[in-house]
Amino acid sequence: MANDSGDYLLSCDWGTSSFRLRLFSRSRDAVLAEVTASEGIASVYNQWKKDPDCPRLPFFRNILKKYLNELSERVVVSKKGISLAGIPLVISGMASSSLGIEELPYATLPFSLEGNGAVTRKFEASADFPHEILLISGLRSEQDVMRGEETQLLGLAAQGMLPADNAICLFPGTHSKHVRVRDGILVKFETYMTGEFFQLLTRQSILSESVEAPEPLIESQGSEISGKTAEAFRQGLNYSADTHLLHSLFSVRTGYLFGKQDKASNFYFLSGLLIGAELNNLKADKTTPVLLCGGSKMSPFYKLALHQPRMPEKIVIVPPEAADLSALHGQLVIAT
């Protein structure tokens, strides 16, 4: 099989609970094959802790080899005739954390969207692992950290997705990020524990008896939310706008006790309360464009919330295909 290693890149986005490996062609600007798995950094780290005699780097390389072999098989099946040997591997996400391949220091603010301030670590190829690894670290401020979203932001900028020189970029997730960009520089970011707080409340608090996750979780499987889901979610958004969160949360319980909401509707009402509380800070600045960086199952809810009254005037929704490739393009920016 032929291999022009200068044309190809192996892109790995390795999160806490997820793994994604892709073979990318620069000349074709296309992903040729990919492998996804739920074997995130946290589970691999726990496996390694049970095998203390194995050095850390070889252990993680063995996990990578497993998925590289699977990716190679998919390339063969697709009849692309490409050998993966010698193709460099770029890894972003949690692989540079204390749970990962090697803990790297964070890059600091201000952070250029040209990527030249990124902190990286290179591991040379070896006989049993014929891939140079470029490990990308995360970003910190005085009181906040993130790993992965800054690489996605670089990729969105490289794809021409930023709406203006001054923008707020939202990355929904378990720990949502609000990232402020000015004149091509990332100058500030904030983390909101919205998703994790939702999980705690629905599983471990007194509210757990008043909510129930419906099946499917979203009535519409497309990009829009409708029906009872949208109605309950909007009620939560509206209530969060004028009521302190610590008080409004108890209305989830009383709403069910008084027969105002069933458990499934309450599930989305609570989501509206929390996402509304997260986004309330955006109402103070009506003129700065807000970019919603999708890819999360919660993106449709954020989209609906951002189009409610009193939100900023310009909302830009990143197309799913651009969001899907954002981490990969950010890796290209750093690796080039």
Side-chain angles (χ1 to χ4, degrees), residues 7-77:
D7 181 42
Y8 300 116
L9 180 79
L10 289 164
S11 165
C12 180
D13 184 6
W14 208 344
T16 303
S17 57
S18 63
F19 177 92
R20 190 179 201 182
L21 178 66
R22 291 183 279 190
L23 174 65
F24 180 76
S25 167
R26 291 181 172 91
S27 62
R28 282 173 270 190
D29 192 27
V31 174
L32 305 183
E34 86 169 51
V35 171
T36 59
S38 58
E39 195 167 19
I41 283 293
S43 66
V44 174
Y45 176 79
N46 289 332
Q47 293 173 49
W48 173 68
K49 291 291 285 184
K50 295 175 183 177
D51 189 9
D53 294 332
C54 181
R56 191 164 181 162
L57 177 59
F59 188 91
F60 277 80
R61 275 179 168 168
N62 283 335
I63 300 294
L64 287 166
K65 265 198 277 191
K66 177 176 67 174
Y67 293 113
L68 285 164
N69 290 337
E70 186 176 336
L71 187 70
S72 182
E73 290 174 6
R74 297 192 181 188
V75 171
V76 171
V77 168

Side-chain angles (χ1 to χ4, degrees), residues 115-170:
N116 47 20
V119 174
T120 62
R121 167 85 154 89
K122 189 174 289 186
F123 299 90
E124 299 298 330
S126 62
D128 64 337
F129 193 85
H131 307 278
E132 178 183 274
I133 295 176
L134 182 68
L135 185 62
I136 300 173
S137 186
L139 185 63
R140 62 160 292 174
S141 66
E142 287 300 316
Q143 65 283 326
D144 226 325
V145 297
M146 62 180 173
R147 289 188 190 270
E149 291 88 357
E150 74 294 330
T151 306
Q152 289 179 262
L153 184 59
L154 292 178
L156 292 171
Q159 294 177 85
M161 289 291 112
L162 294 191
D165 291 333
N166 184 23
I168 297 172
C169 304
L170 260 64

Side-chain angles (χ1 to χ4, degrees), residues 77-269:
V77 168
S78 65
K79 299 180 181 178
K80 299 211 181 327
I82 302 166
S83 168
L84 300 187
I87 299 177
L89 172 62
V90 182
I91 307 176
S92 59
M94 291 298 289
S96 61
S97 73
S98 59
L99 304 180
I101 297 172
E102 181 177 303
E103 185 175 11
L104 300 182
Y106 291 98
T108 56
L109 298 179
F111 184 76
S112 170
L113 297 190
E114 294 180 356
N116 47 20
V119 174
T120 62
R121 167 85 154 89
K122 189 174 289 186
F123 299 90
E124 299 298 330
S126 62
D128 64 337
F129 193 85
H131 307 278
E132 178 183 274
I133 295 176
L134 182 68
L135 185 62
I136 300 173
S137 186
L139 185 63
R140 62 160 292 174
S141 66
E142 287 300 316
Q143 65 283 326
D144 226 325
V145 297
M146 62 180 173
R147 289 188 190 270
E149 291 88 357
E150 74 294 330
T151 306
Q152 289 179 262
L153 184 59
L154 292 178
L156 292 171
Q159 294 177 85
M161 289 291 112
L162 294 191
D165 291 333
N166 184 23
I168 297 172
C169 304
L170 260 64
F171 293 88
T174 303
H175 299 152
S176 295
K177 305 292 183 182
H178 294 201
V179 183
R180 169 78 70 162
V181 175
R182 291 196 185 98
D183 300 321
I185 304 293
L186 195 166
V187 296
K188 181 183 178 181
F189 66 94
E190 298 172 332
T191 299
Y192 293 82
M193 294 178 61
T194 311
E196 184 169 349
F197 196 32
F198 182 82
Q199 292 174 7
L200 289 169
L201 289 172
T202 56
R203 296 174 184 176
Q204 299 182 35
S205 78
I206 192 173
L207 302 184
S208 64
E209 298 299 321
S210 303
V211 298
E212 186 175 88
E215 291 290 345
L217 285 180
I218 302 176
E219 290 175 6
S220 167
Q221 296 304 307
S223 59
E224 304 296 332
I225 303 167
S226 60
K228 289 182 65 178
T229 298
E231 180 183 355
F233 182 70
R234 283 196 185 96
Q235 288 176 3
L237 290 173
N238 293 334
Y239 197 44
S240 74
D242 303 308
T243 312
H244 194 288
L245 178 62
L246 293 180
H247 169 63
S248 65
L249 285 173
F250 200 70
S251 65
V252 176
R253 176 166 170 75
T254 55
Y256 177 66
L257 288 175
F258 299 162
K260 296 178 181 180
Q261 301 272 20
D262 58 35
K263 288 187 176 183
S265 294
N266 241 356
F267 183 87
Y268 291 114
F269 177 76

